[in-house]
Amino acid sequence: QVQLVESGGGLVQAGDSLRLSCAASGRTFSSYAMGWFRQAPGKAREIVAAVSWGGGSTYYADSVKGRFTISRDNAKNTVNLQMNSLKPEDTAVYYCAASLSSMTSGYLYWGQGTQVTVSS
């Protein structure tokens, strides 16, 4: 029903910035909460940031507060993650996901992921 495609990952140095983008298909994009997750090698997938259906509410993991910003443009069916002041511990595969439940649960649709690598 929903297809998600991430882009914008890459290799950067600590302190640099990256902007991830997620393009969604379908006509019901605005009805989903959208989130960004990440998974580092040997670690469980964790939520990084999320935004509500209308964009009025956001959630951030403590580890990224003040550095990352999530936004969405329902007219363009996109959700973005601006990542500033990147740290080596931010290295992971980042996934875009869509939820019909809430910003912190019920994620049913996932993209393929984009690699973010931050060197020291």
Side-chain angles (χ1 to χ4, degrees):
Q1 182 178 1
V2 177
Q3 290 182 305
L4 305 171
V5 181
E6 304 95 335
S7 63
L11 173 62
V12 299
Q13 294 185 337
D16 286 352
S17 298
L18 278 176
R19 184 176 179 85
L20 305 184
S21 182
C22 174
S25 66
R27 296 168 59 85
T28 60
F29 176 77
S30 63
S31 67
Y32 291 91
M34 299 296 297
W36 284 97
F37 293 73
R38 67 186 181 188
Q39 186 168 23
K43 297 183 178 180
R45 184 169 57 190
E46 62 177 350
I47 190 167
V48 175
V51 61
S52 62
W53 296 267
S57 298
T58 56
Y59 166 86
Y60 296 97
D62 289 341
S63 60
V64 306
K65 286 182 179 178
R67 299 189 298 120
F68 291 9
T69 302
I70 189 170
S71 62
R72 69 188 298 163
D73 186 337
N74 290 341
K76 298 180 179 179
N77 284 3
T78 58
V79 60
N80 302 304
L81 185 68
Q82 178 66 46
M83 305 186 295
N84 298 327
S85 302
L86 284 163
K87 304 175 180 180
E89 50 262 46
D90 295 320
T91 296
V93 176
Y94 283 71
Y95 298 90
C96 175
S99 172
L100 277 174
S101 179
S102 72
M103 291 187 293
T104 55
S105 65
Y107 285 91
L108 301 178
Y109 303 98
W110 300 82
Q112 294 297 310
T114 184
Q115 177 71 49
V116 173
T117 302
V118 185
S119 63
S120 301

